[in-house]
């Protein structure tokens, strides 16, 4: 059975550290503690006094003064790993934790999970190609030497960097390693950790290189592990669940996140708020529980993005310069059908194709299988269609040999609708209003990944009013754009009222429009 040596890096909350170490050790596992040398000495004395006699807990020989972005974080981790290797010969796995982490599965589950597959868990993506770094320094992290802390010694940090840049004082990455990047929260097998330590002893050149890179805790282990272990034995993921905001800050979890965290396919989570006393108590008890079933839904990340994205002020829907690929043509008429219920829009376009000669394409910018003709490759992916939207639409006009074309769009594609209505072509918008009952909303929640089959019903019920408000808000945003040619049909209007809107939108005779409005089961779910 797997026995885990937890590598615990911490700098505060001595009572929490003591409770965490005791809890982890009580399950038959081990804990190696590095407590930041910058922290209050009395806090460290308290931890040593409480845990010093526990045979399942060890302490590093040398404590480092740790700083964000510094080599000291890697050095502290290596100290804790070395201490654990010596103190716990029966440990099979080494798991990185911080004082802000808590278990979201039981020890029983964690041991069975690690026993199931002989592999290492560490995010390890190509430094230059992966896009893991979104903003700020990238290559500069490596080719320049960083001796100062960017947060506490800002002037020294940037003065040193600017001088090196000015005089061309760059350096090369060691020739035989491929720099990788990822989260610092890993879980490695004993044999892997031993190989990493052997590598450290034999390669002082690589150690010197990483000692002056910036934020090496995101690159050191992530680079060395795939250098000493075959790729087939590495799973490029972390077993610790964490979410980052769009400002690059980790999301903090509170008392009402218990069910959500249990449903994630991870063993631990960070950051748990120190003030979330009830959550900490429940997660602490969870670690020692037996025979617990964990329904995995993995909805937390999607739910977070949905909730934080609702109603955000300042979203930009204007045209970017790279999106302007020429006009669709003044003589052409583009007819945009916006509908949240895609099946309703498809029924309408099928009826339009049957009763008129206007070509119609269903959700080309939302669905891969949109029934598009061969257009020379621009149609092969949804991403390509978005990127070359005007070229795609011009090709469709040519393919159908028509100066009129209907396209279906999801109302959430507001930036795309606005972009197309700003064109020189005659562009009109038809909004298909919808009613959203609870059954439809539950299906929508499942389709967009906000909840899974194993999600607790209570979670879904709490989402219903939020999702309903979001869908209604999409329709209101379309109306607020005040398009010059905007029309709308709805299931609560009479066929005659809807026909009048369709006649103006399509420029078809009233009789034809009425036939379209009376399409059988047009608005049915």
């Amino acid at each position: 059975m797997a026995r885990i040596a937890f590598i615990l890096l911490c700098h505060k909350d001595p009572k929490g550290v003591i409770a965490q170490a005791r809890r982890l050790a009580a399950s038959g596992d081990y804990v190696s503690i590095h407590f930041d040398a910058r922290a209050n000495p009395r806090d460290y004395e308290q931890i040593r006094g409480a845990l010093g006699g526990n045979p399942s807990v060890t302490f590093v020989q040398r404590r480092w003064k740790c700083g964000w972005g510094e080599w000291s974080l890697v050095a502290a981790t290596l100290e804790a790993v070395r201490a654990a290797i010596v103190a716990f010969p029966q440990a099979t796995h080494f798991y990185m934790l911080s004082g802000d982490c808590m278990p979201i599965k039981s020890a029983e589950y964690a041991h069975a999970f690690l026993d199931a597959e002989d592999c290492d868990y560490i995010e390890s993506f190509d430094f230059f190609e992966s896009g893991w770094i979104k903003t700020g320094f990238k290559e500069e992290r490596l080719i320049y030497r960083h001796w100062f802390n960017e947060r506490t010694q800002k002037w020294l940090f940037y003065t040193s960097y600017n001088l090196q840049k000015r005089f061309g004082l760059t350096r090369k990455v060691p020739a035989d390693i491929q720099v990788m990047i990822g989260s610092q929260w890993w879980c490695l097998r004993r044999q892997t950790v031993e190989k990493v330590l052997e590598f450290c002893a034999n390669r002082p050149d690589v150690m010197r290189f990483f000692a002056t890179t910036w934020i090496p805790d995101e690159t050191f282990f992530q680079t060395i592990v795939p250098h000493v272990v075959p790729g087939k034995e590495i799973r490029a993921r972390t077993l610790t669940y964490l979410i980052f905001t769009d400002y690059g800050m980790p999301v903090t979890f509170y008392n009402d996140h218990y069910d959500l965290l249990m449903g994630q396919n991870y063993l631990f989570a960070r950051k748990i708020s120190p003030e979330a006393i009830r959550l900490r108590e429940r997660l602490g008890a969870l670690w020692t529980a037996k025979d617990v079933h964990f329904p995995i839904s993995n909805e937390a990340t999607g739910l977070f993005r949905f909730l934080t994205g609702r109603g955000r002020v300042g979203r930009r829907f204007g045209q970017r310069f790279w999106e302007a690929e020429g006009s669709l043509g003044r003589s052409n008429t583009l007819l945009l059908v916006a509908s949240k219920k895609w099946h309703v829009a498809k029924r309408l376009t099928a009826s339009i194709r049957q009763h008129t000669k206007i070509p119609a394409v269903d959700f080309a910018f939302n669905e891969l299988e949109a029934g598009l003709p061969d257009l020379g490759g621009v149609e092969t992916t949804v991403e390509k269609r978005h990127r070359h939207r005007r070229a795609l639409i011009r090709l469709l006009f040519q393919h159908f040999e028509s100066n009129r074309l209907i396209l279906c769009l999801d109302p959430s594609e507001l930036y795309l609708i606005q972009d197309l209505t700003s064109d020189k072509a005659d562009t009109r918008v038809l909004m298909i209003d919808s009613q959203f009952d609870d059954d439809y909303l539950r299906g929508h929640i499942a389709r967009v990944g906000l909840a899974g089959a194993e999600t607790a019903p209570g979670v879904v019920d709490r989402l219903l009013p939020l999702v309903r408000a979001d869908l209604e808000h999409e329709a209101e945003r379309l109306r607020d754009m005040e398009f010059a040619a905007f029309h709308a049909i709805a299931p609560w209007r009479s066929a005659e009222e809807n026909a009048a809107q369709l006649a103006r939108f399509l420029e078809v005779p009233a009789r034809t429009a009425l036939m379209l409005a009376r399409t059988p089961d047009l608005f049915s779910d």
Side-chain angles (χ1 to χ4, degrees), residues 222-293:
Q222 297 79 356
T223 298
I224 306 307
V225 169
H227 190 81
V228 299
V229 174
K232 64 182 180 181
E233 298 179 16
I234 298 173
R235 303 295 172 264
R237 57 160 297 191
T238 174
L239 298 181
T240 298
Y241 183 65
L242 66 162
I243 314 176
F244 286 96
T245 70
D246 49 5
Y247 295 102
M249 301 300 292
V251 172
T252 300
F253 298 106
Y254 294 93
N255 287 333
D256 57 347
H257 292 137
Y258 178 77
D259 291 331
L260 202 67
L261 290 174
M262 282 185 62
Q264 306 316 299
N265 189 25
Y266 297 85
L267 305 183
F268 285 76
R270 71 180 304 267
K271 289 182 159 186
I272 308 300
S273 170
E275 300 172 2
I277 304 301
R278 178 58 180 153
L279 178 60
R280 286 179 170 270
E281 289 174 350
R282 296 179 74 185
L283 293 178
L286 179 65
W287 180 250
T288 57
K290 301 292 184 182
D291 300 322
V292 179
H293 171 65

Side-chain angles (χ1 to χ4, degrees), residues 499-512:
Q501 293 286 319
L502 289 169
R504 288 193 290 271
F505 174 66
L506 297 170
E507 289 188 337
V508 295
R511 183 179 177 181
T512 303

Side-chain angles (χ1 to χ4, degrees), residues 4-7 9 74 77-78 80-81 93-97 120-123 182-189 192-193 196 217 220-222 225 235 237-240:
I4 308 168
F6 291 99
I7 308 303
L9 266 58
V74 177
T77 304
L78 288 171
V81 167
H93 293 77
F94 294 72
Y95 194 123
M96 262 289 281
L97 282 181
D120 299 303
Y121 296 91
I122 181 169
E123 284 190 349
S183 167
Q184 70 180 108
W185 311 107
W186 41 254
C187 178
L188 304 176
R189 297 166 297 173
T192 299
V193 168
V196 169
D217 53 300
F220 180 77
F221 287 96
Q222 297 79 356
V225 169
R235 303 295 172 264
R237 57 160 297 191
T238 174
L239 298 181
T240 298

Side-chain angles (χ1 to χ4, degrees), residues 353-371:
R353 285 189 288 265
Q354 180 182 354
H355 296 294
T356 77
K357 295 181 179 181
I358 307 173
V361 175
D362 297 337
F363 296 98
F365 295 102
N366 301 104
E367 289 185 303
L368 180 60
E369 299 298 331

Side-chain angles (χ1 to χ4, degrees), residues 159-197:
T159 299
S160 169
Y161 161 70
N162 288 326
L163 286 172
Q164 293 180 74
K165 184 177 180 180
R166 179 179 178 183
F167 292 106
L169 301 176
T170 59
R171 60 176 178 174
K172 293 183 179 180
V173 176
D176 63 333
I177 68 170
Q178 179 185 4
V179 179
M180 310 293 280
I181 192 168
S183 167
Q184 70 180 108
W185 311 107
W186 41 254
C187 178
L188 304 176
R189 297 166 297 173
R190 185 182 192 91
Q191 61 265 35
T192 299
V193 168
E194 290 172 343
K195 290 177 181 178
V196 169
L197 293 179

